Amino acid sequence: MRSFHFGRYALAAGLAIAMFAGCSAPQLRTVPFGVTSNARPDWAHRALAPNGVVEFVYVANNDSENVSAYSINKTGALTQVKGSPFDAEVGPAIVAVDPAGKFAYVTNSGSASVSAYSIDASTGALTQVKGSPFAAGTGSYGIAVDPTGKFAYVGNSDSSSVSAYTIDASSGALTTVKGSPFAAGGGPASVAADPAGKFVYVVNNGSNNVSAYSINATSGALTQVKGSPFSSDSEPFGIAIDPKGKFAYVVNSSSNDVSAYSINAATGALTPVKGSPFRAGKQPFLVAMDPTGKFLYVPNVNSNDVSGYSISPTSGALTQVNGSPFSAGKDAAPLGMAVDPAGKFGYTTDIGTFSVAAYSMNANGALKAKGSPVGAGSHPIGIATCGVQAGKCIPPPL
């Protein structure tokens, strides 16, 4: 398997532990775009999002062992939340917000654990849940929370397994499901749950396939579906499932493309979409989908841009939107991406400049960069958003 270096901690089985060889460490940008250096970070200073809903962004900083939190103002600009960054463990990688909007979970790839936080919906601040961090397998990386908010699943890249947990609805604490961890393929990287809460999909970076599991609705235990694992292209990494649960998209980091699948609603089996795989840029790893399921976005680390696609609602086929790929800047190396719950803005983590960049999204799915990137911690990777509704910070549809 070809190595790619994110930071000090290997994020998939067999990945070496380093940043780009021969590159000097980029400088951290500390002043958010649209905000002066003496701007107050407290809640009173921040504006509401366009739809009157306050929104937040959370970023896992792999080498600085913390999580940055930002608020989104009406223009899409980011302001660091008071108290940010919040402590994590060794090698934080991916962030997931539970569907109830009460908790955030961050995998720690270097310490085989998951940090759990309660979310203050009025400020965006994070507070570690009692008992956090919770033990996972070695190389814990991808994480998904099922749409009921009852279960969480973590891909363990170094132990080729999936850890399953029940979530305490009151405290957010994690308890290991009986029978966990469950066997996966080689180097499981990203994890996704279908929006019906019936299936979980795990991308196996080392074995070039996707493991599919049915979820026991009572216990959270996993059973591989018939035909699993399903073949992908070379060195798959990220995965996204559309909000209706009809299609799954897997980013292949070595073959520079996206595998598209239709999902059998009854069995969870995957069938390649006609025309798949679809071309992306150089070294794509992670992926994001807008809340409506109309558009898919793939940051390309080594071509300094983001590929944007429209999704056929009938076939699931991908067509690059007008203007794609969208430049991320000369020195950029975009890795992770998230779309805000209102579907107005997109945000990428950048391991070239240790920052978070913002984009506006038009009705046709095109991206337009907004201002200068905002400083993050060292080697920011995973990113998640949520919007406040009835006193809780709800993520976009799974």
Side-chain angles (χ1 to χ4, degrees):
M1 179 171 59
R2 189 163 63 116
S3 294
F4 180 80
H5 311 297
F6 289 129
R8 285 181 291 163
Y9 308 106
L11 300 185
L15 294 183
I17 302 174
M19 182 51 179
F20 300 104
C23 293
S24 59
Q27 296 297 310
L28 175 64
R29 300 178 183 177
T30 57
V31 182
F33 60 84
V35 181
T36 60
S37 60
N38 62 352
R40 292 171 57 209
D42 61 285
W43 185 252
H45 182 81
R46 295 196 288 269
L48 297 180
N51 58 353
V53 175
V54 178
E55 297 177 318
F56 299 105
V57 175
Y58 298 100
V59 172
N61 301 305
N62 190 248
D63 279 6
S64 48
E65 300 176 5
N66 55 28
V67 181
S68 295
Y70 310 87
S71 64
I72 304 174
N73 79 3
K74 62 183 178 181
T75 69
L78 301 179
T79 302
Q80 196 133 189
V81 163
K82 186 176 182 179
S84 173
F86 301 94
D87 289 341
E89 296 298 309
V90 181
I94 297 296
V95 186
V97 176
D98 86 295
K102 296 170 62 178
F103 310 110
Y105 297 93
V106 176
T107 53
N108 300 299
S109 59
S111 56
S113 66
V114 180
S115 293
Y117 307 85
S118 59
I119 300 173
D120 186 322
S122 64
T123 67
L126 300 178
T127 301
Q128 289 234 21
V129 164
K130 186 177 180 180
S132 176
F134 300 94
T138 54
S140 48
Y141 179 67
I143 184 169
V145 179
D146 87 304
T148 68
K150 292 170 59 179
F151 310 115
Y153 299 95
V154 172
N156 304 306
S157 62
D158 292 343
S159 49
S160 298
S161 64
V162 183
S163 294
Y165 308 87
T166 58
I167 299 174
D168 186 294
S170 299
S171 70
L174 301 179
T175 301
T176 302
V177 165
K178 186 178 180 179
S180 176
F182 301 92
S190 296
V191 184
D194 87 300
K198 296 171 62 178
F199 309 110
V200 166
Y201 297 91
V202 177
V203 178
N204 300 307
N205 179 260
S207 52
N208 297 334
N209 54 29
V210 181
S211 295
Y213 308 84
S214 59
I215 301 173
N216 183 303
T218 302
S219 69
L222 299 180
T223 302
Q224 288 224 31
V225 305
K226 186 177 181 180
S228 175
F230 301 92
S231 295
S232 68
D233 218 334
S234 183
E235 296 186 15
F237 213 90
I239 183 171
I241 297 176
D242 82 300
K244 294 182 179 180
K246 294 175 61 179
F247 308 112
Y249 299 92
V250 172
V251 174
N252 303 297
S253 62
S254 183
S255 51
N256 301 327
D257 54 25
V258 182
S259 294
Y261 308 87
S262 59
I263 300 174
N264 186 305
T267 68
L270 301 179
T271 302
V273 163
K274 186 178 180 179
S276 177
F278 299 91
R279 178 57 54 187
K282 295 179 182 178
Q283 284 209 301
F285 281 87
L286 297 174
V287 59
M289 186 175 292
D290 86 303
T292 67
K294 292 181 179 179
F295 306 109
L296 190 78
Y297 298 96
V298 176
N300 302 301
V301 174
N302 280 355
S303 52
N304 314 106
D305 54 25
V306 179
S307 296
Y309 309 86
S310 60
I311 301 172
S312 168
T314 53
S315 71
L318 300 179
T319 302
Q320 293 230 16
V321 303
N322 189 34
S324 176
F326 304 96
S327 176
K330 179 181 177 181
D331 299 321
L335 178 58
M337 185 166 180
V339 177
D340 80 304
K344 300 291 185 181
F345 308 109
Y347 299 93
T348 57
T349 55
D350 193 320
I351 57 172
T353 59
F354 295 178
S355 64
V356 181
Y359 301 83
S360 61
M361 300 169 55
N362 72 15
N364 296 316
L367 302 179
K368 182 178 181 180
K370 295 185 63 64
S372 299
V374 178
S378 180
H379 298 102
I381 298 178
I383 181 169
T385 63
C386 64
V388 179
Q389 300 177 28
K392 297 178 183 178
C393 205
I394 309 298
L398 290 175

